[in-house]
Structures are given as structure tokens and as C-alpha cells.
């Protein structure tokens, strides 16, 4: 049940990003950013385009018919609305905001009031859903402390050291943690599946319509916050999700840094992927197959040993940058960038972020994830290698 829910949630997010990338031109982008540790941004008014905002303090009160992406230290959604709201920061507060879905990652995340028509996904140190917030679909929450008092319209998946569930959940509940509390206001319409490494407390007033299933213990563990705060994770669901999230964040940072450092190379690589993906695939396969063979041949000779190691280093670098090239391909397709030069850095970074998110989410899907990363590796490596060679051959 939990695995299928995770796959379905990831698919929906991937579809959202894919539709956004394919349907909107670069001009359909509202980007704001602040500079410095005391920068502040107010995102207000009516929005019809994809919105990006980044600053130390971000206050979102806009009414948007499209998606909103926000990054900062202190983020507050207050009285507005959006199709999908994405936020990453130290402190994230949702107060009176309505969206089709929320996806948040931070230290302290609080859903005070408002509603989500569909799903909510939250990763943080402390995650709280107050009773005045309403979740129309499913909810997934991972953290050190997770408190759910908001009603949930479908399924609920939570994991943490301290987990509290004290609200009505229409569907099934899966809870994993050290200490789990099912409060007196809990009304679970489906099954309750749980794994508690320390103890579980179920209030006599709580109701569970379905079955109570004790999940088997796991051998390995993941320590969050010290020796006394241990979540038994092993190969469980939250371990896999945490691995996917951390890997995805690292990939996104890499894509943004490489794009900022080499905007022309990334723009031309992305344009090649949209213009001639077959040629990119051929070059990529040559780099991935012929390159290692030549380096091994060089290594077997004493004179070519150093050259062989240098070739291996270049191949691994090309692989790493190749994934960024794949994200640039999505950015080029979405932004309709021209191949004769680098676009404005703001839109290029924004659409590269969308591309990196799409690849990360699709790459985390069961069964197809491996092929997504393999395809991105081959195509991206070929495009970057071809365009890097063209730029180096071009006279200054």
C-alpha cells in the first residue's frame, strides 16, 4: 500500500513538472530574488505565470492560478492561493493559504491554517499540522518530530522519532518511529500499520475501522540527532524516501551551480538535446564506451599510465556534468531557448530547476528510475561533450 502511494504521488508530481515544462514559454515566468542576509520579498497580487521567489525572508500572499516555487530562510504563505506550492527553507509556515498541493522541505514546518485540495508532502526537523488546516488528499511527513492534528482526506504516511496522530484520517495510516502516539481524536477509516522501536500509545477514545498491523522490526537503523534519537530505518520506506530526497537536492544544487558557472555551455547543450537527440546519444555512447576502453589501453603501458588516469578523471567529470546537461535539455525545451547564445540567467536557472526536479522525481520511481538516469546520462554526456568541443574549437 505505502509503496504504491509513494509511486502514485511521485508520478503526479512528475506530471505536474512535465506539463509545466512543455506547456510554458520562457516569458511565462515571474522570478524575484533578494540579495544579502536581510533581504525580504513580498509576493503579492494576482499571478498567472509560474512564480519563483528567493530571499532570506519571503512572504507569499499572491493569488496564483499556476505553481509557486519559494526558497529562503523564513517563508510564510499567508492568505493566498496557488495551483502547487513548493517551498524550501529554515522555517516554513502556511497560514490561511490554499493550494492544490504543497511540497515543503525545511527545519521547522508548520501548517497553521488553510487547505490542500490534494496532497501534502513535508520533510523537516519538526513538522506540525494544526487542526485548522485541512488536507483533501494524502499526506506524507518525515521528521524528528511529526504532529498531525489536521484532518486527512485519504492516506497518511508519517515517520519520525516522536510521531503523534490525533485527527480524522479517511484512508489508511502507516506510522514508523521511536515513540508513536495515537490520540483520542484519531479516527482512522482504514488500516493502522505501525512500527515503534520504543513504544506506541493508542488512546481508548481513538477508533480504527480497519486492521491494526504491527510491521516487522528492521535490522539496521538511522540516527537522527544523536544516540538517543534513533529511527529504525534499514531498507524501509522512509529510508528510501530520505535517500531520494537528499540525492535529489544534491543534484539540483549541482545543476544550478554548473548552469551559473557555464551558462553558454549548458544553453548550447540543452539546445542540442532538443534539436538533435540522436546525435547526442551517439556522442554519449562513444564517451561512455570508447573512453574507458582507451583509458585502460593507456594504463597498461608505463608511459600512458598518467594519461590513463587523466582520461578516467575526464570521463567521470563528463558523466557528472552530463546529468546537468540532461536538465539543461528540459530547460531548453521548456524555455524555447535559442541555440545562438545563452538566455537571461534568471529564466535559464528557473527552467533548469524544473528540469532537475523532473529528472529527480522520475529517477526515484520504481522500475523506471534506473532507465531515466541512464537515458539522462547518455544524452546529457553526449550533448555536453559535443558542445564543449565546439566551444573550445571556436576561435576567440
Amino acid at each position: 500500500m505505502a509503496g504504491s502511494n509513494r509511486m502514485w504521488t511521485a508520478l503526479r508530481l512528475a506530471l505536474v513538472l512535465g506539463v509545466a515544462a512543455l506547456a510554458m514559454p520562457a516569458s511565462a515566468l515571474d522570478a524575484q530574488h533578494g540579495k544579502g542576509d536581510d533581504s525580504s520579498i513580498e509576493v503579492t497580487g494576482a499571478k498567472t505565470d509560474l512564480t519563483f521567489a528567493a530571499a532570506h525572508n519571503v512572504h507569499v500572499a499572491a493569488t496564483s492560478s499556476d505553481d509557486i516555487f519559494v526558497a529562503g530562510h523564513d517563508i510564510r504563505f499567508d492568505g493566498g492561493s496557488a495551483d502547487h506550492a513548493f517551498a524550501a527553507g529554515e522555517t516554513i509556515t502556511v497560514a490561511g493559504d490554499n493550494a492544490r498541493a504543497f511540497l515543503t522541505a525545511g527545519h521547522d514546518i508548520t501548517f497553521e491554517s488553510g487547505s490542500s485540495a490534494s496532497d501534502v508532502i513535508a520533510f523537516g526537523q519538526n513538522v506540525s499540522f494544526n487542526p485548522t488546516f485541512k488536507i483533501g488528499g494524502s499526506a506524507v511527513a518525515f521528521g524528528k518530530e511529526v504532529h498531525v492534528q489536521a484532518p486527512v482526506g485519504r492516506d497518511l504516511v508519517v515517520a519520525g522519532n516522536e510521531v503523534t496522530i490525533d485527527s480524522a484520517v479517511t484512508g489508511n495510516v502507516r506510522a514508523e518511529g521511536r515513540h508513536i502516539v495515537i490520540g483520542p481524536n484519531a479516527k482512522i477509516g482504514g488500516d493502522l500499520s505501525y512500527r515503534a522501536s520504543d513504544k506506541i500509545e493508542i488512546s481508548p477514545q481513538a477508533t480504527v475501522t480497519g486492521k491494526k498491523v504491527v510491521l516487522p522490526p528492521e535490522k539496521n537503523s538511522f540516527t537522527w540527532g544523536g544516540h538517543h534519537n534513533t529511527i529504525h530505518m534499514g531498507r524501509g520506506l522512509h529510508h528510501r524516501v530520505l535517500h531520494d530526497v537528499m540525492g535529489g537536492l544534491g543534484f539540483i544544487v549541482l545543476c544550478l551551480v554548473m548552469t551559473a558557472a557555464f551558462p553558454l555551455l549548458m544553453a548550447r547543450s540543452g539546445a542540442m538535446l532538443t534539436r538533435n537527440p540522436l546525435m547526442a546519444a551517439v556522442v554519449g555512447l562513444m564517451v561512455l564506451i570508447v573512453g574507458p576502453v582507451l583509458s585502460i589501453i593507456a594504463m597498461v603501458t608505463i608511459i600512458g599510465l598518467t594519461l590513463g588516469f587523466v582520461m578516467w578523471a575526464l570521463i567521470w567529470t563528463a558523466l557528472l556534468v552530463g546529468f546537468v546537461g540532461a536538465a539543461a535539455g528540459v530547460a531548453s525545451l521548456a524555455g524555447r531557448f535559442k541555440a545562438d547564445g545563452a538566455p537571461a540567467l534568471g529564466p535559464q536557472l528557473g527552467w533548469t530547476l524544473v528540469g532537475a526536479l523532473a529528472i529527480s522525481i522520475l529517477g526515484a520511481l520504481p522500475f523506471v528510475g534506473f532507465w531515466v538516469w541512464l537515458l539522462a546520462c547518455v544524452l546529457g554526456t553526449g550533448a555536453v561533450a559535443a558542445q564543449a568541443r565546439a566551444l573550445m574549437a571556436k576561435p576567440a
Side-chain angles (χ1 to χ4, degrees):
M1 179 273 295
S4 61
N5 287 339
R6 171 172 172 259
M7 181 176 180
W8 176 234
T9 299
L11 275 170
R12 277 180 287 182
L13 288 170
L15 287 173
V16 169
L17 293 170
V19 170
L22 293 172
M24 297 182 179
S27 59
L29 173 67
D30 185 345
Q32 304 178 52
H33 70 279
K35 298 181 179 179
D37 294 338
D38 58 348
S39 61
S40 298
I41 287 179
E42 296 280 340
V43 183
T44 59
K47 305 288 185 181
T48 58
D49 298 333
L50 189 67
T51 301
F52 291 90
H56 189 271
N57 301 306
V58 183
H59 177 220
V60 182
T63 302
S64 176
S65 59
D66 211 316
D67 299 338
I68 296 179
F69 293 78
V70 184
H73 188 275
D74 295 315
I75 300 171
R76 184 177 181 86
F77 291 88
D78 190 3
S81 62
D83 190 9
H84 294 78
F86 302 82
E90 178 74 12
T91 302
I92 302 171
T93 304
V94 177
D97 206 79
N98 301 300
R100 183 186 298 182
F102 288 90
L103 193 155
T104 59
H107 189 278
D108 296 309
I109 303 174
T110 304
F111 292 86
E112 291 183 354
S113 59
S115 66
S116 171
S118 184
D119 301 334
V120 175
I121 300 176
F123 302 92
Q125 181 84 351
N126 304 301
V127 181
S128 298
F129 296 90
N130 291 357
T132 47
F133 187 81
K134 183 179 179 180
I135 303 170
S138 298
V140 179
F142 297 89
K144 182 179 179 181
E145 294 187 9
V146 180
H147 300 278
V148 181
Q149 295 178 294
V152 180
R154 293 181 63 187
D155 298 333
L156 173 65
V157 178
V158 291
N161 287 335
E162 302 289 334
V163 174
T164 301
I165 301 172
D166 194 26
S167 65
V169 179
T170 302
N172 301 306
V173 171
R174 174 172 177 141
E176 301 184 36
R178 182 176 63 84
H179 181 202
I180 300 174
V181 176
I182 308 298
N185 297 312
K187 294 178 176 58
I188 300 173
D191 298 339
L192 169 62
S193 303
Y194 63 89
R195 178 187 293 113
S197 60
D198 190 352
K199 62 178 178 178
I200 181 169
E201 301 177 28
I202 301 179
S203 170
Q205 287 78 39
T207 59
V208 180
T209 303
K211 299 178 294 183
K212 296 179 182 178
V213 180
V214 180
L215 299 173
E218 296 180 350
K219 296 179 181 179
N220 301 320
S221 64
F222 169 79
T223 301
W224 190 327
H227 297 292
H228 300 291
N229 297 319
T230 301
I231 305 174
H232 289 275
M233 300 184 73
R235 299 182 181 274
L237 172 67
H238 45 312
H239 175 72
R240 296 193 301 271
V241 172
L242 182 64
H243 178 273
D244 292 340
V245 169
M246 296 307 295
L249 289 176
F251 176 59
I252 289 169
V253 171
L254 174 66
C255 288
L256 295 179
V257 170
M258 289 298 300
T259 301
F262 306 101
L264 181 58
L265 174 61
M266 291 300 107
R268 291 188 56 163
S269 300
M272 179 179 179
L273 281 179
T274 60
R275 185 180 66 253
N276 198 345
L278 181 59
M279 180 58 69
V282 171
V283 176
L285 289 173
M286 289 179 62
V287 172
L288 297 176
I289 298 175
V290 179
V293 172
L294 292 178
S295 64
I296 292 173
I297 293 174
M299 285 181 180
V300 299
T301 65
I302 297 177
I303 297 177
L305 184 61
T306 302
L307 177 61
F309 280 117
V310 171
M311 292 179 65
W312 268 111
L314 290 175
I315 291 169
W316 282 108
T317 302
L319 289 176
L320 195 62
V321 179
F323 289 118
V324 183
V330 179
S332 178
L333 180 66
R336 312 293 196 267
F337 298 147
K338 297 179 180 179
D340 55 356
L345 186 58
Q348 187 180 9
L349 287 173
W351 287 115
T352 299
L353 173 63
V354 173
L357 281 168
I359 293 173
S360 297
I361 293 172
L362 290 172
L365 294 177
F367 310 115
V368 301
F370 169 79
W371 301 105
V372 170
W373 285 111
L374 180 61
L375 185 64
C377 178
V378 173
L379 292 176
T381 300
V384 171
Q387 294 307 311
R389 182 180 182 279
L391 288 173
M392 287 187 292
K394 186 177 181 181

